């Protein structure tokens, strides 16, 4: 055994003609991050780091830097996402019982701007070769023990770019969490009746929490508060996480689809993306349900511009979110650009007011800040917490009556070169068992917020996950 991390990256030819990650790569137990035609998937696990509390980001950053600083890396591509890569999910709150985590997979397959690769990672003394890496991936893409070989053919294949060695993968198997699958089969899962129930608070109680939040805002203690609620879906025939991820990636192409340890979703909000010395973020605040445009005069986009962009309440909420991010990012930047006016982001379920922020990171004492150092400074933003942060955070704990866990926390990946993409875990859910899923949605509360309207907005935000689970909404 060796404690030194070693990695080998091999260029691949991947059939991604259908757009996005080839579906045969997306399994229930996969680590996943994708948007449009780009993405990363991870198989297996050779190491993980967990932490909790206020220093969880910095502790994870130290662990990762120590792991990769002496790593033996063979990487002919040297582009973001090659070489050592870890996937991560962090708790929203420093008081959460959820353990934040970085996971180091055994295999990573990546696609970026038409270029594809395979990386094998190990902490053992095994020899890393191109043939061995391809063979290791083939093992992960083969049927699980006891799984029928009589299945539809895979819709694509992987070939080493040099032509040596071919992987013939199969479709993914059902259900997340291999340890649970071992003792659960389809015949044990129930009568097929899907149920959807309120989580920590009933709808009436949550609306009362919104009203109390508005009352606190009117006292002048804070400008904005973000309140979340949860619902629990029970699917007795089983949760097909791979299908959920595929549907989200296909329908919500402007979002970042993620899957980490049972946390799945498609977020429209980028907390921070780092490539070299360039950092970018996408900030959202202000939401309009697309169903509200049904039957109105004019085009749907004209309606969105009139109602959303023309709303003083929505623009005020958006300005608070932009100010929150740019203020926290400024000390790490030597130059920064942000949209002077928000644009309307069109998604299948809602419209958002959105702004993109781009910054050139400063060289601070000979080092550019890492992804996790930036996240430590930026999270939580006003878009998911409120402002002032400390006041809003205390009020969230008082009014929500739930532990958000990883909901609204950072989720994404990072590599050894300092590159990474970290979204905010929105429009998502936690697969709690083979048959139950807990969904989360939140709303920005300001002085003009109306409880009934905010409740309706949560249902609009639940819609991506509900539809991907096959639940009509």
């Amino acid at each position: 055994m060796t404690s030194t991390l070693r990695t080998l990256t091999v260029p691949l030819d991947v059939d991604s003609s259908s757009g996005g990650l080839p579906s045969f790569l997306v399994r229930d137990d996969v680590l996943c991050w994708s948007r449009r035609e780009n993405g990363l998937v991870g198989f297996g696990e050779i190491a993980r780091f967990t932490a909790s509390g206020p220093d969880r980001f910095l502790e994870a950053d130290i662990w990762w830097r120590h792991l990769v600083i002496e790593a033996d890396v063979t990487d002919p591509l040297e582009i973001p996402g090659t070489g050592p890569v870890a996937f991560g999910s962090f708790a929203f709150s420093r008081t959460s019982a959820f353990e934040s985590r970085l996971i180091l997979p055994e295999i990573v397959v990546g696609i970026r701007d038409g270029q594809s690769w395979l990386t094998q990672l190990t902490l053992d003394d095994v020899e890393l070769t191109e043939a061995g890496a391809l063979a290791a991936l083939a093992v992960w893409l083969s049927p699980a023990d006891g799984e029928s070989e009589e299945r539809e053919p895979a819709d694509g294949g992987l070939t080493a770019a040099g032509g040596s060695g071919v992987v013939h993968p199969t479709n993914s198997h059902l259900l997340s969490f291999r340890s649970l699958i071992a003792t659960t089969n389809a015949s044990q899962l129930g009568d097929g009746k899907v149920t959807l129930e309120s989580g920590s608070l009933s709808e009436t109680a949550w609306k009362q929490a919104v009203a109390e939040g508005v009352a606190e805002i009117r006292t002048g203690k804070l400008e904005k508060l973000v309140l979340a609620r949860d619902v629990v879906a029970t699917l007795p025939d089983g949760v097909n996480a791979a299908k959920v991820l595929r549907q989200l990636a296909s329908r919500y192409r402007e979002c970042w689809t993620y899957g980490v340890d049972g946390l799945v979703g498609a977020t429209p909000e980028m907390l921070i993306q780092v490539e070299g010395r360039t950092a970018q973020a996408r900030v959202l605040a202000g939401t309009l349900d697309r169903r509200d445009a049904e039957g109105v005069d004019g085009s749907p986009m004209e309606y969105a511009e009139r109602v959303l962009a023309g709303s003083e309440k929505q623009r005020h909420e958006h300005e608070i979110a932009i100010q929150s991010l740019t203020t926290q990012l400024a000390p790490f930047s030597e130059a920064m650009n942000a949209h002077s006016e928000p644009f309307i982001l069109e998604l299948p379920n809602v419209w958002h007011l959105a702004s993109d922020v781009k910054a050139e990171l400063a060289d601070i004492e000979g080092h550019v800040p890492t992804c996790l150092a930036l996240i430590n400074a930026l999270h939580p933003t006003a878009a998911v917490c409120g402002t002032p942060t400390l006041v809003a955070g205390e009020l969230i704990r008082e009014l929500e009556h739930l532990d958000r866990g990883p909901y609204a926390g950072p989720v994404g990946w990072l590599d050894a070169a300092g590159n990474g993409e970290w979204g905010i875990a929105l429009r998502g859910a936690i697969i709690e068992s083979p048959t139950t899923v807990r969904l989360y949605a939140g709303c920005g509360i300001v002085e003009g917020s109306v409880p009934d309207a905010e409740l309706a907005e949560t249902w609009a935000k639940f819609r991506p996950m509900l539809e991907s689970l096959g639940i009509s909404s």
Side-chain angles (χ1 to χ4, degrees):
M1 291 288 293
T2 176
S3 60
T4 300
L5 174 64
R6 294 184 298 118
T7 70
L8 171 65
T9 298
V10 179
L12 288 178
D13 291 330
V14 175
D15 178 11
S16 57
S17 57
S18 60
L21 294 172
S23 63
F24 64 78
L25 289 174
V26 183
R27 302 161 49 100
D28 287 0
D29 52 4
V30 79
L31 297 161
C32 179
W33 178 269
S34 71
R35 182 174 185 255
R36 296 178 182 169
E37 281 71 45
N38 299 326
L40 295 170
V41 291
F43 299 90
E45 178 181 327
I46 63 171
R48 79 164 49 200
F49 174 83
T50 60
S52 58
D55 296 324
R56 59 199 182 282
F57 304 116
L58 296 180
E59 290 174 6
D61 191 28
I62 292 170
W63 178 82
W64 179 244
R65 284 187 287 158
H66 282 175
L67 186 67
V68 301
I69 194 169
E70 296 182 352
D72 181 359
V73 178
T74 302
D75 179 8
L77 301 181
E78 295 186 345
I79 59 177
T82 61
V85 168
F87 293 79
S89 169
F90 287 83
F92 168 80
S93 173
R94 66 180 186 274
T95 65
S96 175
F98 175 82
E99 283 192 324
S100 300
R101 61 207 60 185
L102 286 180
I103 301 172
L104 196 66
E106 175 189 340
I107 294 288
V108 176
V109 176
I111 303 175
R112 179 185 176 88
D113 299 331
Q115 193 166 19
S116 308
W117 65 89
L118 161 66
T119 299
Q120 184 176 15
L121 305 91
T122 184
L123 291 169
D124 297 332
D125 288 322
V126 298
E127 181 183 5
L128 295 181
T129 64
E130 180 179 298
L134 289 165
L137 178 60
V139 170
W140 278 104
L141 294 179
S142 64
D145 291 343
E147 194 174 13
S148 173
E149 294 283 355
E150 298 178 2
R151 41 172 67 241
E152 296 178 4
D155 55 355
L158 299 179
T159 308
S164 59
V166 179
V167 180
H168 298 289
T170 66
N171 290 337
S172 63
H173 61 278
L174 294 178
L175 300 177
S176 56
F177 309 124
R178 285 179 173 240
S179 61
L180 293 173
I181 294 172
T183 57
T184 307
N185 59 56
S187 65
Q188 297 172 322
L189 292 177
D191 59 6
K193 184 178 180 181
V194 175
T195 62
L196 190 64
E197 300 176 335
S198 293
S200 300
L201 291 176
S202 67
E203 292 189 352
T204 299
W206 190 80
K207 288 193 293 183
Q208 179 60 35
V210 172
E212 292 176 18
V214 171
E216 290 293 318
I217 291 169
R218 287 174 177 165
T219 67
K221 294 178 182 178
L222 70 167
E223 277 190 276
K224 177 184 176 180
L225 173 70
V226 179
L227 288 179
R229 58 184 290 255
D230 60 333
V231 296
V232 179
T234 302
L235 296 87
D237 289 336
V239 181
N240 187 334
K243 182 179 178 181
V244 168
L245 291 170
R246 291 172 189 152
Q247 291 203 10
L248 290 172
S250 174
R251 297 191 64 231
Y252 289 83
R253 285 173 49 79
E254 293 303 310
C255 297
W256 290 267
T257 299
Y258 58 87
V260 178
D261 256 14
L263 173 69
V264 296
T267 180
E269 189 153 2
M270 175 62 71
L271 177 60
I272 199 72
Q273 176 191 57
V274 176
E275 292 185 18
R277 291 187 59 174
T278 301
Q280 298 185 75
R282 171 162 288 182
V283 182
L284 307 180
T287 304
L288 179 62
D289 190 340
R290 289 185 60 122
R291 290 181 177 177
D292 292 348
E294 295 175 1
V296 301
D297 294 333
S299 71
M301 185 56 73
E302 289 173 342
Y303 175 79
E305 290 173 350
R306 182 172 69 253
V307 176
L308 187 59
S311 166
E312 181 178 347
K313 169 189 174 292
Q314 302 277 26
R315 291 181 69 93
H316 175 59
E317 182 184 342
H318 189 78
E319 288 168 4
I320 292 173
I322 283 288
Q323 186 64 36
S324 167
L325 182 125
T326 55
T327 298
Q328 297 302 111
L329 187 57
F332 301 94
S333 308
E334 58 185 30
M336 189 183 305
N337 292 311
H339 288 139
S340 57
E341 285 288 321
F343 64 92
I344 294 178
L345 177 64
E346 185 176 7
L347 300 176
N349 60 324
V350 296
W351 290 288
H352 287 295
L353 284 183
S355 291
D356 289 336
V357 177
K358 185 174 183 178
E360 289 302 311
L361 297 174
D363 189 320
I364 301 173
E365 297 181 351
H367 300 282
V368 174
T370 65
C371 290
L372 294 176
L374 292 172
I375 290 172
N376 184 64
L378 296 175
H379 179 81
T381 67
V384 292
C385 178
T387 187
T389 302
L390 291 178
V391 177
E394 291 178 2
L395 198 53
I396 284 171
R397 289 189 286 274
E398 177 183 335
L399 296 178
E400 282 186 352
H401 297 281
L402 63 83
D403 182 345
R404 290 186 179 184
Y407 167 72
V411 61
W413 63 272
L414 76 166
D415 66 18
N419 307 302
E421 295 179 289
W422 292 88
I424 300 175
L426 306 174
R427 311 296 189 273
I430 298 174
I431 302 172
E432 295 186 332
S433 81
T435 58
T436 58
V437 183
R438 188 175 299 271
L439 292 73
Y440 295 84
C443 297
I445 309 302
V446 293
E447 187 172 351
S449 294
V450 176
D452 284 333
E454 301 301 333
L455 180 66
E457 183 176 315
T458 64
W459 282 112
K461 291 176 175 178
F462 282 135
R463 200 175 303 144
M465 279 302 308
L466 290 174
E467 291 176 348
S468 69
L469 290 166
I471 301 173
S472 60
S473 59

